[in-house]
């Protein structure tokens, strides 16, 4: 088993699907639920910075070695005076990246599957285009259009490469915390964007560094990852006293992913072809329009 490949997939799961759902059906802020974290201390616990760096750098592979896990995801997007939240929960195969998840968007549930890098979503009744219950988006084709690695496109930071981009000066131990009933150590990480794949392109979108927090259990496995990004939004038309003008906006995105129940069963099967409308072309058109 290729553990390096596995590590690439850890924490690069499900985000694309949640974001795709928000694009297709819209979403609203449904409140900020209890995140299950208790007891985080501002004081760094015992241990050297070097030890913390080694722990964070090895966490992806240690998590991937568990093969499967249950996941809980929350993506909160804020910008232009509005805040939107999408949530998901399900299970993921950490080896091949397949997953099954239920996504809650604007009070409506979307059944979601990722199989062989193809995203399938069962839309709320009456909202699916083409008169079929399922839509699909080929994530590989979208990634190729964006010039990124399709295996990690669901996480704009390409988290598999974090290990190579992290140095001792980038990691700070923040103390202990309980996440979903599990004792963890909380680390704050400042990732050098230039050290990531497509770093030059990413730097233009999110700046020189990417803030990330991780919570690791006693076995060094990832129990929670939080990524905070501020990205440039497409140009928006704004009115002023001199008339209309176009100005780029900024959108902040907080992505929180929890891992529990390692070794859980994952059954991800593609829906029957006759029940699926291919939306890959529309997704590519939208991406081209934004670029």
């Amino acid at each position: 088993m290729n553990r390096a490949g596995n590590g690439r997939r850890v924490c690069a799961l499900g985000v694309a699907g949640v974001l795709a759902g928000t694009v297709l059906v819209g979403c609203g802020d449904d409140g900020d639920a209890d995140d299950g974290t208790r007891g985080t201390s501002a004081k760094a616990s015992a241990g050297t910075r070097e030890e913390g760096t080694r722990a964070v750098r090895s966490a992806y592979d240690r998590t991937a070695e568990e093969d499967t896990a249950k996941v809980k995801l929350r993506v909160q997007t804020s910008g232009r005076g509005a805040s939107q939240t999408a949530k998901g929960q399900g299970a993921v195969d950490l080896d091949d990246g397949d997953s099954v998840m239920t996504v809650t968007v604007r009070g409506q549930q979307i059944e979601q599957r990722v199989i062989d890098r193809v995203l399938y979503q069962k839309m709320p009744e009456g909202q699916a285009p083409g008169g079929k219950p399922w839509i699909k988006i080929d994530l590989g084709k979208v990634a190729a259009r964006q010039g990124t690695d399709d295996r990690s496109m669901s996480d704009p930071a390409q988290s598999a490469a974090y290990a190579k981009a992290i140095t001792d000066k980038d990691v700070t131990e923040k103390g202990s915390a309980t996440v979903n009933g599990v004792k963890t150590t909380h680390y704050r990480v400042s990732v050098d964007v230039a050290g990531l794949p497509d770093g030059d392109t990413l730097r233009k979108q999110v700046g020189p560094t990417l803030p990330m927090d991780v919570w690791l259990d006693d076995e060094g496995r990832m129990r929670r990852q939080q990524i905070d990004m501020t990205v440039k939004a497409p140009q928006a038309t704004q009115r002023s006293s001199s008339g209309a003008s176009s100005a780029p906006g900024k959108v902040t995105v907080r992505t929180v992913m929890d891992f529990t129940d390692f070794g859980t069963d994952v059954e991800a099967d593609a829906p029957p072809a006759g029940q699926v409308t291919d939306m890959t072309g529309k997704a590519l058109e939208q991406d081209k329009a934004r670029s």
Side-chain angles (χ1 to χ4, degrees), residues 246-268:
S246 293
K250 291 185 177 180
V251 175
T252 60
V253 182
R254 168 168 288 185
T255 302
V256 181
M257 183 174 289
D258 288 357
F259 292 88
T260 62
D261 299 280
F262 293 113
T264 192
D265 290 336
V266 180
E267 297 183 4

